[in-house]
Amino acid sequence: MGNDAESGEIVAVDLHGERGGGVVAQLVGFRLDPEERHRASERALATPAGEILGELAGALEPGAAMAAVLVEHVWNRTLEDAVSRIGGAELANEVVYATALAELAPNLLAAARRASA
């Protein structure tokens, strides 16, 4: 989202998708097609988050932009259900990069020890 440098118009896009390719195609259309950018902005500003998007865009300098990527891991509900069905309990729930796993080992071990106590 941002403000068009020339017109001051708020430009925003609110994308949902289950596959990266679909989202990428929508972003390309948003970036390259002024009419699609206008339509996407109208749709995004008409969502429940539209007021917040407008406030954020209004706080930016003309021509500036920002991006926020929110990811909902819907698969996690299935995992939670499976763990619950076998009498298990969630010990920790954090989004991490694979390179940070070694840093998390002490926290994971502590959670496992607390659950076993």
Side-chain angles (χ1 to χ4, degrees):
M1 123 207 42
N3 295 317
D4 183 90
E6 295 174 15
S7 69
E9 177 184 8
I10 294 173
V11 292
V13 64
D14 181 13
L15 302 176
H16 301 268
E18 294 182 18
R19 299 183 141 178
V23 172
V24 170
Q26 292 175 66
L27 282 172
V28 169
F30 179 82
R31 171 68 177 96
L32 298 177
D33 183 349
E35 291 178 18
E36 176 53 31
R37 187 168 39 257
H38 180 74
R39 286 190 302 273
S41 297
E42 285 182 341
R43 285 191 305 269
L45 294 170
T47 68
E51 185 176 332
I52 295 167
L53 292 173
E55 287 180 36
L56 289 170
L60 297 172
E61 296 290 325
M66 68 181 301
V69 178
L70 306 176
V71 178
E72 179 183 14
H73 292 284
V74 293
W75 58 266
N76 195 43
R77 290 186 213 132
T78 304
L79 178 60
E80 289 171 349
D81 181 57
V83 169
S84 174
R85 287 175 187 253
I86 63 168
E90 184 178 279
L91 299 178
N93 187 346
E94 296 180 43
V95 175
V96 298
Y97 293 101
T99 56
L101 185 58
E103 296 171 22
L104 289 175
N107 293 345
L108 294 171
L109 290 169
R113 290 183 184 119
R114 280 193 306 274
S116 297

XYZ file of all heavy atoms in Angstrom:
844
model
N 0.836 -1.151 0.000
C 0.000 0.000 0.000
C 0.886 1.220 0.000
O 2.035 1.158 0.426
C -0.918 -0.057 1.199
C -0.803 1.123 2.085
S -1.192 0.913 3.783
C -0.495 -0.577 4.235
N 0.357 2.306 -0.492
C 1.101 3.546 -0.513
C 0.281 4.652 -1.134
O -0.930 4.532 -1.322
N 0.962 5.738 -1.421
C 0.351 6.896 -2.075
C 1.015 7.092 -3.419
O 2.239 7.116 -3.512
C 0.589 8.172 -1.248
C -0.092 8.118 0.078
O -1.229 7.702 0.168
N 0.593 8.530 1.130
N 0.207 7.241 -4.449
C 0.752 7.526 -5.766
C 1.459 8.876 -5.710
O 0.907 9.857 -5.209
C -0.371 7.535 -6.807
C 0.174 7.753 -8.188
O 0.496 6.755 -8.845
O 0.270 8.928 -8.609
N 2.681 8.939 -6.201
C 3.489 10.156 -6.129
C 2.857 11.319 -6.873
O 2.946 12.464 -6.437
C 4.892 9.887 -6.659
N 2.205 11.052 -7.993
C 1.658 12.133 -8.810
C 0.247 12.534 -8.392
O -0.064 13.704 -8.270
C 1.683 11.727 -10.277
C 3.095 11.559 -10.811
C 3.109 11.018 -12.221
O 2.060 11.039 -12.897
O 4.181 10.561 -12.640
N -0.622 11.540 -8.156
C -2.026 11.857 -7.874
C -2.342 11.908 -6.386
O -3.357 12.465 -5.992
C -2.931 10.804 -8.532
O -2.779 9.551 -7.875
N -1.482 11.319 -5.557
C -1.762 11.241 -4.131
C -2.792 10.177 -3.791
O -3.138 9.980 -2.635
N -3.296 9.470 -4.820
C -4.295 8.428 -4.621
C -3.698 7.285 -3.808
O -2.551 6.884 -3.998
C -4.764 7.904 -5.981
C -5.747 6.765 -5.891
C -6.122 6.217 -7.268
O -5.524 6.609 -8.277
O -7.034 5.378 -7.308
N -4.496 6.746 -2.882
C -4.062 5.589 -2.115
C -4.106 4.365 -3.013
O -5.090 4.133 -3.709
C -4.973 5.371 -0.886
C -4.821 6.526 0.084
C -4.651 4.042 -0.199
C -5.790 6.482 1.244
N -3.016 3.623 -3.014
C -2.975 2.359 -3.737
C -2.743 1.258 -2.718
O -1.899 1.371 -1.838
C -1.891 2.342 -4.843
C -2.253 3.288 -5.960
C -0.528 2.687 -4.303
N -3.561 0.227 -2.793
C -3.465 -0.875 -1.834
C -3.952 -2.140 -2.494
O -4.760 -2.105 -3.413
C -4.315 -0.564 -0.606
N -3.465 -3.247 -1.991
C -3.914 -4.535 -2.485
C -4.033 -5.473 -1.289
O -3.221 -5.448 -0.383
C -2.962 -5.083 -3.576
C -1.583 -5.360 -3.033
C -3.532 -6.313 -4.224
N -5.088 -6.243 -1.286
C -5.360 -7.220 -0.236
C -5.517 -8.554 -0.934
O -6.531 -8.808 -1.576
C -6.643 -6.828 0.514
C -6.990 -7.773 1.638
O -6.150 -8.600 2.028
O -8.127 -7.694 2.134
N -4.476 -9.384 -0.871
C -4.462 -10.630 -1.623
C -4.656 -11.820 -0.708
O -4.157 -11.848 0.412
C -3.127 -10.782 -2.357
C -2.770 -9.666 -3.318
C -1.381 -9.892 -3.894
C -3.789 -9.585 -4.426
N -5.372 -12.784 -1.206
C -5.569 -14.051 -0.514
C -5.315 -15.145 -1.527
O -5.713 -15.037 -2.672
C -7.004 -14.179 0.007
C -7.383 -13.086 0.944
N -7.231 -13.196 2.299
C -7.876 -11.852 0.729
C -7.628 -12.082 2.874
N -8.025 -11.241 1.941
N -4.669 -16.173 -1.106
C -4.441 -17.277 -2.014
C -3.851 -18.456 -1.298
O -3.273 -18.323 -0.224
N -4.028 -19.598 -1.905
C -3.479 -20.813 -1.329
C -2.175 -21.207 -1.995
O -1.465 -22.065 -1.503
C -4.500 -21.948 -1.458
C -5.740 -21.690 -0.626
C -6.734 -22.823 -0.706
O -6.354 -23.933 -1.115
O -7.892 -22.588 -0.357
N -1.865 -20.569 -3.086
C -0.642 -20.892 -3.808
C 0.079 -19.603 -4.139
O -0.530 -18.596 -4.487
C -0.960 -21.639 -5.093
C -1.652 -22.942 -4.832
C -1.868 -23.648 -6.110
N -1.616 -25.060 -5.864
C -1.746 -25.981 -6.767
N -2.093 -25.664 -7.982
N -1.519 -27.230 -6.474
N 1.385 -19.645 -4.033
C 2.196 -18.468 -4.301
C 2.037 -17.923 -5.702
O 2.035 -16.727 -5.922
N 1.866 -18.816 -6.690
C 1.757 -18.372 -8.081
C 0.571 -17.479 -8.313
O 0.654 -16.503 -9.056
N -0.569 -17.794 -7.692
C -1.761 -16.966 -7.850
C -1.569 -15.588 -7.267
O -2.007 -14.585 -7.835
N -0.904 -15.519 -6.128
C -0.647 -14.233 -5.493
C 0.340 -13.426 -6.329
O 0.157 -12.223 -6.528
C -0.131 -14.427 -4.048
C 0.329 -13.119 -3.448
C -1.216 -15.057 -3.182
N 1.354 -14.090 -6.851
C 2.349 -13.399 -7.680
C 1.689 -12.818 -8.925
O 1.940 -11.666 -9.294
C 3.518 -14.342 -8.051
C 4.417 -13.713 -9.103
C 4.308 -14.698 -6.807
N 0.817 -13.582 -9.565
C 0.134 -13.088 -10.762
C -0.709 -11.854 -10.431
O -0.726 -10.884 -11.198
C -0.752 -14.186 -11.354
N -1.379 -11.881 -9.285
C -2.182 -10.723 -8.881
C -1.293 -9.510 -8.627
O -1.645 -8.378 -8.971
C -2.989 -11.047 -7.628
C -4.088 -12.069 -7.864
C -4.787 -12.438 -6.568
O -5.441 -11.596 -5.964
N -4.618 -13.683 -6.151
N -0.132 -9.734 -8.013
C 0.797 -8.632 -7.761
C 1.343 -8.039 -9.052
O 1.509 -6.825 -9.163
C 1.952 -9.090 -6.871
C 1.647 -9.210 -5.398
C 2.822 -9.850 -4.667
C 1.303 -7.870 -4.790
N 1.619 -8.898 -10.025
C 2.117 -8.406 -11.312
C 1.053 -7.530 -11.969
O 1.354 -6.442 -12.467
C 2.536 -9.578 -12.234
C 2.797 -9.092 -13.654
C 3.765 -10.270 -11.669
N -0.208 -7.994 -11.962
C -1.290 -7.181 -12.513
C -1.428 -5.857 -11.787
O -1.606 -4.803 -12.398
N -1.331 -5.886 -10.479
C -1.409 -4.667 -9.658
C -0.296 -3.696 -10.030
O -0.508 -2.500 -10.165
C -1.316 -5.050 -8.170
C -1.354 -3.886 -7.228
C -2.566 -3.318 -6.864
C -0.185 -3.379 -6.685
C -2.605 -2.250 -5.978
C -0.221 -2.312 -5.804
C -1.439 -1.751 -5.447
N 0.895 -4.220 -10.221
C 2.056 -3.377 -10.511
C 2.039 -2.806 -11.924
O 2.359 -1.653 -12.142
C 3.334 -4.208 -10.298
C 4.618 -3.553 -10.769
C 4.947 -2.341 -9.915
N 6.198 -1.747 -10.305
C 6.295 -0.715 -11.137
N 5.220 -0.189 -11.672
N 7.467 -0.222 -11.445
N 1.622 -3.615 -12.896
C 1.775 -3.211 -14.291
C 0.544 -2.589 -14.928
O 0.666 -1.870 -15.916
C 2.218 -4.416 -15.135
C 3.570 -5.019 -14.756
C 3.862 -6.243 -15.611
C 4.684 -3.991 -14.863
N -0.637 -2.840 -14.398
C -1.880 -2.382 -15.023
C -2.544 -1.322 -14.146
O -3.113 -1.643 -13.106
C -2.814 -3.572 -15.229
C -4.102 -3.218 -15.941
O -4.396 -2.012 -16.115
O -4.835 -4.149 -16.307
N -2.495 -0.035 -14.566
C -3.086 1.028 -13.751
C -4.569 0.802 -13.436
O -5.022 1.112 -12.334
C -2.889 2.289 -14.598
C -1.772 1.966 -15.523
C -1.861 0.492 -15.777
N -5.319 0.263 -14.383
C -6.737 0.007 -14.139
C -6.919 -1.089 -13.086
O -7.776 -0.982 -12.210
C -7.454 -0.355 -15.434
C -7.568 0.820 -16.392
C -8.243 0.437 -17.696
O -8.922 -0.612 -17.741
O -8.081 1.183 -18.670
N -6.115 -2.140 -13.175
C -6.181 -3.215 -12.178
C -5.744 -2.686 -10.811
O -6.316 -3.041 -9.788
C -5.327 -4.412 -12.581
C -5.289 -5.516 -11.543
C -6.659 -6.012 -11.091
O -7.630 -5.989 -11.873
O -6.769 -6.427 -9.914
N -4.739 -1.830 -10.787
C -4.291 -1.218 -9.529
C -5.417 -0.414 -8.889
O -5.663 -0.507 -7.691
C -3.051 -0.353 -9.775
C -2.435 0.185 -8.519
C -1.054 0.803 -8.724
N -0.872 1.566 -9.944
C -0.213 1.133 -11.026
N 0.312 -0.067 -11.054
N -0.093 1.892 -12.078
N -6.146 0.337 -9.704
C -7.273 1.129 -9.193
C -8.379 0.209 -8.652
O -8.897 0.433 -7.557
C -7.814 2.045 -10.296
C -8.953 2.885 -9.866
N -8.799 3.979 -9.043
C -10.285 2.777 -10.113
C -9.985 4.504 -8.805
N -10.899 3.795 -9.441
N -8.725 -0.827 -9.421
C -9.763 -1.768 -8.975
C -9.342 -2.488 -7.691
O -10.124 -2.634 -6.755
C -10.079 -2.788 -10.073
C -10.889 -2.218 -11.231
C -11.370 -3.329 -12.170
N -10.303 -4.133 -12.735
C -9.643 -3.829 -13.861
N -9.973 -2.747 -14.550
N -8.694 -4.618 -14.309
N -8.087 -2.932 -7.651
C -7.586 -3.641 -6.466
C -7.588 -2.717 -5.252
O -7.916 -3.142 -4.139
C -6.183 -4.184 -6.728
N -7.243 -1.458 -5.465
C -7.239 -0.495 -4.364
C -8.650 -0.273 -3.834
O -8.864 -0.249 -2.618
C -6.636 0.839 -4.816
O -5.280 0.663 -5.180
N -9.605 -0.133 -4.733
C -11.003 0.028 -4.301
C -11.470 -1.177 -3.500
O -12.119 -1.032 -2.463
C -11.918 0.253 -5.505
C -11.809 1.631 -6.100
C -12.768 1.832 -7.267
O -13.254 0.833 -7.853
O -13.031 3.004 -7.585
N -11.125 -2.382 -3.968
C -11.517 -3.607 -3.244
C -10.856 -3.663 -1.873
O -11.503 -3.971 -0.873
C -11.144 -4.856 -4.054
C -12.043 -5.129 -5.242
C -11.798 -6.506 -5.845
N -10.409 -6.754 -6.226
C -9.899 -6.507 -7.429
N -10.657 -6.007 -8.399
N -8.629 -6.775 -7.686
N -9.568 -3.367 -1.817
C -8.840 -3.435 -0.540
C -9.389 -2.419 0.458
O -9.554 -2.726 1.638
C -7.349 -3.198 -0.771
N -9.692 -1.230 -0.015
C -10.193 -0.189 0.887
C -11.635 -0.445 1.315
O -12.085 0.112 2.313
C -10.043 1.186 0.231
C -8.585 1.618 0.017
C -8.518 2.870 -0.847
C -7.873 1.815 1.347
N -12.339 -1.328 0.604
C -13.718 -1.673 0.963
C -13.789 -2.851 1.944
O -14.866 -3.200 2.400
C -14.526 -1.991 -0.295
N -12.655 -3.451 2.278
C -12.639 -4.571 3.214
C -12.732 -4.047 4.640
O -12.575 -2.841 4.882
C -11.347 -5.403 3.073
O -10.238 -4.605 3.520
C -11.138 -5.888 1.650
N -12.952 -4.926 5.607
C -12.954 -4.482 7.008
C -11.651 -3.787 7.418
O -11.661 -2.923 8.289
C -13.155 -5.785 7.795
C -13.908 -6.673 6.851
C -13.360 -6.340 5.491
N -10.546 -4.145 6.784
C -9.263 -3.518 7.108
C -9.038 -2.225 6.324
O -8.025 -1.555 6.506
C -8.125 -4.486 6.822
N -9.984 -1.854 5.469
C -9.810 -0.693 4.600
C -9.523 0.600 5.325
O -8.704 1.400 4.874
N -10.182 0.816 6.444
C -9.960 2.054 7.204
C -8.513 2.129 7.703
O -7.855 3.158 7.602
C -10.925 2.135 8.380
C -10.830 3.446 9.139
C -11.868 3.547 10.243
O -12.947 2.937 10.126
O -11.577 4.246 11.215
N -8.027 1.010 8.196
C -6.645 0.967 8.682
C -5.671 1.155 7.526
O -4.690 1.887 7.638
C -6.364 -0.360 9.420
C -7.221 -0.434 10.681
C -4.886 -0.527 9.748
C -7.271 -1.786 11.327
N -5.958 0.509 6.385
C -5.100 0.684 5.211
C -5.039 2.145 4.803
O -3.972 2.669 4.483
C -5.605 -0.165 4.044
C -5.496 -1.675 4.190
C -6.201 -2.365 3.023
C -4.049 -2.104 4.285
N -6.184 2.809 4.815
C -6.225 4.227 4.459
C -5.415 5.079 5.422
O -4.696 5.992 5.009
N -5.526 4.791 6.711
C -4.752 5.545 7.712
C -3.255 5.330 7.525
O -2.466 6.271 7.593
C -5.155 5.124 9.120
C -6.519 5.630 9.543
C -6.875 5.180 10.951
O -5.966 5.119 11.810
O -8.062 4.890 11.188
N -2.868 4.067 7.300
C -1.447 3.778 7.092
C -0.922 4.468 5.839
O 0.152 5.069 5.861
C -1.226 2.273 6.994
C -1.396 1.479 8.286
C -1.396 -0.017 7.993
C -0.311 1.828 9.283
N -1.668 4.379 4.753
C -1.237 5.024 3.505
C -1.164 6.536 3.687
O -0.259 7.185 3.165
C -2.188 4.668 2.367
N -2.104 7.094 4.438
C -2.099 8.532 4.686
C -0.910 9.001 5.504
O -0.525 10.160 5.448
N -0.326 8.099 6.275
C 0.832 8.453 7.095
C 2.132 8.426 6.302
O 3.159 8.902 6.781
C 0.939 7.499 8.282
N 2.086 7.880 5.092
C 3.288 7.787 4.271
C 3.488 9.048 3.441
O 2.528 9.716 3.067
C 3.185 6.583 3.326
C 3.091 5.210 3.977
C 2.792 4.158 2.908
C 4.361 4.881 4.725
N 4.732 9.326 3.130
C 5.057 10.427 2.231
C 4.553 10.087 0.834
O 4.504 8.910 0.466
C 6.581 10.634 2.179
C 7.196 11.066 3.491
C 6.813 12.480 3.864
O 6.677 13.322 2.961
O 6.624 12.729 5.062
N 4.173 11.084 0.014
C 3.758 10.793 -1.363
C 4.845 10.010 -2.094
O 6.022 10.330 -2.010
C 3.577 12.189 -1.978
C 3.267 13.064 -0.801
C 4.079 12.502 0.342
N 4.418 8.952 -2.759
C 5.343 8.104 -3.500
C 5.946 6.977 -2.668
O 6.581 6.089 -3.208
N 5.745 7.024 -1.339
C 6.277 5.969 -0.475
C 5.288 4.806 -0.430
O 4.111 4.960 -0.737
C 6.515 6.507 0.934
N 5.782 3.666 -0.047
C 4.934 2.483 0.040
C 5.418 1.594 1.175
O 6.546 1.716 1.636
C 4.961 1.709 -1.273
N 4.543 0.722 1.617
C 4.927 -0.276 2.606
C 4.216 -1.577 2.276
O 3.197 -1.577 1.586
C 4.578 0.186 4.028
C 3.087 0.261 4.316
S 2.654 0.840 5.976
C 3.448 -0.324 7.018
N 4.756 -2.663 2.760
C 4.145 -3.972 2.534
C 4.085 -4.717 3.857
O 4.992 -4.625 4.670
C 4.956 -4.775 1.523
N 3.014 -5.430 4.046
C 2.866 -6.312 5.204
C 2.395 -7.656 4.675
O 1.464 -7.717 3.882
C 1.858 -5.737 6.186
N 3.039 -8.694 5.105
C 2.658 -10.041 4.687
C 2.168 -10.773 5.927
O 2.921 -10.972 6.876
C 3.845 -10.802 4.057
C 3.443 -12.213 3.683
C 4.377 -10.042 2.854
N 0.900 -11.107 5.924
C 0.314 -11.845 7.034
C -0.002 -13.244 6.528
O -0.665 -13.405 5.514
C -0.960 -11.154 7.518
C -0.811 -9.674 7.877
C -2.162 -9.084 8.245
C 0.180 -9.488 9.000
N 0.471 -14.226 7.232
C 0.302 -15.610 6.806
C -0.474 -16.356 7.877
O -0.069 -16.380 9.033
C 1.669 -16.291 6.583
C 1.490 -17.733 6.178
C 2.487 -15.527 5.554
N -1.577 -16.937 7.486
C -2.343 -17.771 8.398
C -2.023 -19.225 8.065
O -2.214 -19.671 6.947
C -3.845 -17.525 8.254
C -4.656 -18.392 9.176
C -6.158 -18.226 8.994
O -6.582 -17.647 7.980
O -6.887 -18.684 9.870
N -1.551 -19.920 9.038
C -1.216 -21.331 8.837
C -2.428 -22.175 9.207
O -2.532 -22.691 10.317
C 0.004 -21.715 9.672
C 1.254 -21.051 9.206
N 1.928 -21.464 8.078
C 1.932 -19.989 9.672
C 2.988 -20.695 7.892
N 3.010 -19.788 8.840
N -3.351 -22.323 8.265
C -4.584 -23.065 8.533
C -4.314 -24.543 8.788
O -5.094 -25.198 9.487
C -5.627 -22.881 7.406
C -6.124 -21.457 7.360
C -5.059 -23.283 6.065
N -3.224 -25.061 8.293
C -2.867 -26.450 8.551
C -2.663 -26.688 10.037
O -2.813 -27.803 10.528
C -1.614 -26.855 7.774
C -0.432 -25.990 8.104
C -0.028 -24.876 7.440
C 0.462 -26.126 9.208
N 1.056 -24.309 8.058
C 1.382 -25.076 9.158
C 0.573 -27.043 10.244
C 2.402 -24.896 10.085
C 1.597 -26.871 11.180
C 2.497 -25.803 11.084
N -2.319 -25.624 10.786
C -2.047 -25.763 12.209
C -3.287 -26.230 12.974
O -3.169 -26.948 13.964
C -1.523 -24.440 12.764
C -0.894 -24.607 14.119
O -0.149 -25.555 14.355
N -1.203 -23.708 15.026
N -4.478 -25.851 12.507
C -5.710 -26.308 13.163
C -5.820 -27.831 13.102
O -6.209 -28.470 14.073
C -6.934 -25.668 12.506
C -7.054 -24.208 12.783
C -8.377 -23.674 12.214
N -8.142 -22.313 11.788
C -8.487 -21.798 10.631
N -9.130 -22.519 9.743
N -8.220 -20.552 10.338
N -5.479 -28.398 11.960
C -5.522 -29.848 11.798
C -4.514 -30.512 12.730
O -4.813 -31.531 13.359
C -5.243 -30.234 10.328
O -6.183 -29.565 9.495
C -5.333 -31.722 10.122
N -3.334 -29.943 12.831
C -2.310 -30.491 13.723
C -2.777 -30.415 15.176
O -2.651 -31.386 15.932
C -0.993 -29.749 13.542
C 0.154 -30.183 14.448
C 0.487 -31.654 14.234
C 1.367 -29.304 14.210
N -3.320 -29.271 15.593
C -3.820 -29.127 16.960
C -4.904 -30.159 17.259
O -4.922 -30.748 18.343
C -4.370 -27.715 17.181
C -3.304 -26.647 17.229
C -3.887 -25.237 17.223
O -5.110 -25.065 16.978
O -3.112 -24.295 17.466
N -5.802 -30.374 16.304
C -6.869 -31.348 16.484
C -6.289 -32.754 16.646
O -6.705 -33.511 17.527
C -7.843 -31.296 15.303
C -8.988 -32.279 15.449
O -9.701 -32.203 16.477
O -9.151 -33.126 14.552
N -5.322 -33.100 15.816
C -4.712 -34.426 15.888
C -4.011 -34.633 17.223
O -4.144 -35.698 17.844
C -3.733 -34.620 14.727
N -3.297 -33.642 17.691
C -2.600 -33.741 18.971
C -3.610 -33.900 20.102
O -3.455 -34.736 20.991
C -1.697 -32.504 19.197
C -1.183 -32.444 20.624
C -0.539 -32.512 18.207
N -4.686 -33.122 20.046
C -5.731 -33.194 21.067
C -6.394 -34.568 21.098
O -6.666 -35.118 22.169
C -6.767 -32.108 20.811
O -7.842 -32.241 21.686
N -6.649 -35.139 19.936
C -7.333 -36.440 19.855
C -6.532 -37.570 20.484
O -7.108 -38.555 20.947
C -7.653 -36.788 18.406
C -8.782 -35.978 17.833
C -8.959 -36.294 16.346
N -9.930 -35.409 15.758
C -11.151 -35.779 15.416
N -11.542 -37.019 15.600
N -11.979 -34.916 14.881
N -5.217 -37.443 20.513
C -4.414 -38.505 21.124
C -4.011 -38.146 22.554
O -3.177 -38.809 23.158
C -3.179 -38.853 20.268
C -2.241 -37.658 20.147
C -3.587 -39.388 18.912
C -0.875 -38.001 19.567
N -4.617 -37.077 23.086
C -4.346 -36.691 24.467
C -3.078 -35.891 24.655
O -2.611 -35.729 25.777
N -2.546 -35.386 23.579
C -1.322 -34.598 23.657
C -1.606 -33.153 24.000
O -2.757 -32.736 24.137
N -0.556 -32.398 24.173
C -0.671 -30.972 24.480
C 0.414 -30.210 23.729
O 1.525 -30.716 23.541
C -0.527 -30.738 25.980
N 0.082 -29.018 23.317
C 1.048 -28.162 22.632
C 2.077 -27.663 23.636
O 1.730 -27.147 24.686
C 0.313 -26.977 22.007
C 1.196 -26.079 21.198
C 0.422 -24.941 20.559
O -0.201 -25.176 19.511
O 0.433 -23.841 21.138
N 3.344 -27.843 23.317
C 4.412 -27.394 24.195
C 4.920 -26.014 23.823
O 5.322 -25.238 24.668
C 5.583 -28.382 24.162
C 5.267 -29.803 24.618
C 6.493 -30.675 24.476
C 4.754 -29.796 26.041
N 4.930 -25.723 22.539
C 5.414 -24.430 22.063
C 4.804 -24.184 20.692
O 4.453 -25.122 19.987
C 6.930 -24.416 21.974
N 4.674 -22.921 20.327
C 4.131 -22.565 19.030
C 4.768 -21.254 18.606
O 4.361 -20.199 19.053
C 2.609 -22.430 19.102
C 1.994 -22.215 17.729
O 2.679 -21.910 16.755
N 0.695 -22.353 17.664
N 5.790 -21.352 17.785
C 6.494 -20.171 17.301
C 6.829 -20.351 15.832
O 7.128 -21.463 15.403
C 7.805 -19.964 18.065
C 7.641 -19.670 19.531
C 8.982 -19.467 20.219
O 9.851 -18.783 19.636
O 9.153 -20.012 21.313
N 6.796 -19.284 15.087
C 7.251 -19.316 13.704
C 8.740 -19.004 13.727
O 9.164 -18.002 14.310
C 6.497 -18.287 12.843
C 7.063 -18.253 11.437
C 5.018 -18.605 12.827
N 9.514 -19.884 13.146
C 10.967 -19.706 13.141
C 11.522 -20.034 11.770
O 10.915 -20.763 10.995
C 11.658 -20.597 14.197
C 11.215 -20.252 15.597
C 11.429 -22.063 13.912
N 12.679 -19.510 11.511
C 13.421 -19.882 10.312
C 14.225 -21.126 10.630
O 14.679 -21.317 11.766
C 14.354 -18.747 9.873
C 13.614 -17.534 9.403
C 13.465 -16.425 10.225
C 13.043 -17.498 8.135
C 12.764 -15.311 9.798
C 12.341 -16.390 7.700
C 12.211 -15.299 8.531
O 11.509 -14.201 8.118
N 14.409 -21.972 9.665
C 15.141 -23.219 9.886
C 16.524 -22.956 10.461
O 17.021 -23.721 11.278
C 15.242 -24.005 8.581
N 17.151 -21.859 10.091
C 18.491 -21.553 10.586
C 18.493 -21.214 12.064
O 19.535 -21.232 12.701
C 19.094 -20.372 9.800
O 18.207 -19.254 9.893
C 19.328 -20.738 8.348
N 17.313 -20.919 12.644
C 17.237 -20.557 14.058
C 16.922 -21.743 14.955
O 16.838 -21.598 16.166
C 16.182 -19.468 14.256
N 16.760 -22.939 14.401
C 16.378 -24.102 15.200
C 17.375 -24.366 16.322
O 16.985 -24.649 17.451
C 16.211 -25.327 14.313
C 15.705 -26.581 15.013
C 14.359 -26.313 15.686
C 15.583 -27.723 14.029
N 18.660 -24.276 16.040
C 19.671 -24.525 17.069
C 19.519 -23.550 18.231
O 19.703 -23.924 19.394
C 21.070 -24.434 16.475
N 19.153 -22.315 17.951
C 18.955 -21.323 19.007
C 17.744 -21.658 19.867
O 17.695 -21.306 21.040
C 18.782 -19.928 18.400
C 20.005 -19.417 17.666
C 19.696 -18.134 16.902
O 18.727 -17.441 17.240
O 20.441 -17.853 15.953
N 16.770 -22.328 19.290
C 15.550 -22.665 20.029
C 15.654 -23.952 20.832
O 14.797 -24.222 21.673
C 14.377 -22.799 19.057
C 13.904 -21.502 18.444
C 12.830 -21.789 17.410
C 13.348 -20.594 19.507
N 16.667 -24.749 20.593
C 16.798 -26.044 21.263
C 16.661 -25.932 22.783
O 15.917 -26.712 23.388
C 18.101 -26.723 20.875
N 17.321 -24.973 23.463
C 17.156 -24.887 24.919
C 15.704 -24.625 25.334
O 15.216 -25.211 26.305
C 18.063 -23.716 25.322
C 19.074 -23.628 24.224
C 18.337 -24.041 22.981
N 14.988 -23.779 24.592
C 13.584 -23.507 24.918
C 12.717 -24.738 24.699
O 11.804 -25.016 25.481
C 13.040 -22.353 24.067
C 13.692 -21.039 24.396
O 14.354 -20.887 25.429
N 13.539 -20.065 23.524
N 12.980 -25.472 23.619
C 12.201 -26.683 23.349
C 12.451 -27.749 24.415
O 11.523 -28.391 24.897
C 12.545 -27.232 21.958
C 12.142 -26.349 20.772
C 12.721 -26.897 19.480
C 10.645 -26.234 20.682
N 13.712 -27.908 24.799
C 14.034 -28.870 25.850
C 13.372 -28.489 27.167
O 12.826 -29.335 27.889
C 15.546 -28.984 26.026
C 16.289 -29.669 24.874
C 17.791 -29.499 25.028
C 15.922 -31.137 24.810
N 13.376 -27.197 27.511
C 12.738 -26.742 28.752
C 11.238 -26.999 28.713
O 10.650 -27.435 29.707
C 13.032 -25.254 28.969
N 10.594 -26.756 27.574
C 9.152 -27.001 27.448
C 8.863 -28.481 27.605
O 7.899 -28.880 28.273
C 8.643 -26.483 26.105
N 9.692 -29.334 27.021
C 9.487 -30.782 27.137
C 9.663 -31.231 28.571
O 8.894 -32.054 29.077
C 10.459 -31.516 26.216
N 10.632 -30.679 29.260
C 10.848 -31.049 30.673
C 9.685 -30.602 31.549
O 9.257 -31.323 32.427
C 12.164 -30.466 31.161
C 13.371 -31.151 30.538
C 14.690 -30.613 31.093
N 15.788 -31.243 30.379
C 16.676 -30.572 29.654
N 16.633 -29.265 29.560
N 17.644 -31.221 29.044
N 9.156 -29.401 31.292
C 7.993 -28.906 32.071
C 6.794 -29.799 31.846
O 6.052 -30.098 32.777
C 7.668 -27.467 31.683
C 8.534 -26.427 32.306
C 7.957 -25.028 32.134
N 7.666 -24.669 30.756
C 8.539 -24.142 29.893
N 9.777 -23.924 30.276
N 8.176 -23.858 28.660
N 6.594 -30.229 30.612
C 5.435 -31.084 30.293
C 5.574 -32.454 30.939
O 4.579 -33.088 31.285
C 5.287 -31.211 28.788
N 6.815 -32.916 31.092
C 7.041 -34.238 31.685
C 6.960 -34.219 33.209
O 6.785 -35.255 33.833
C 8.405 -34.774 31.265
O 8.437 -34.959 29.868
N 7.119 -33.055 33.795
C 7.136 -32.948 35.269
C 5.764 -33.101 35.892
O 4.746 -32.972 35.369
C 7.735 -31.612 35.678
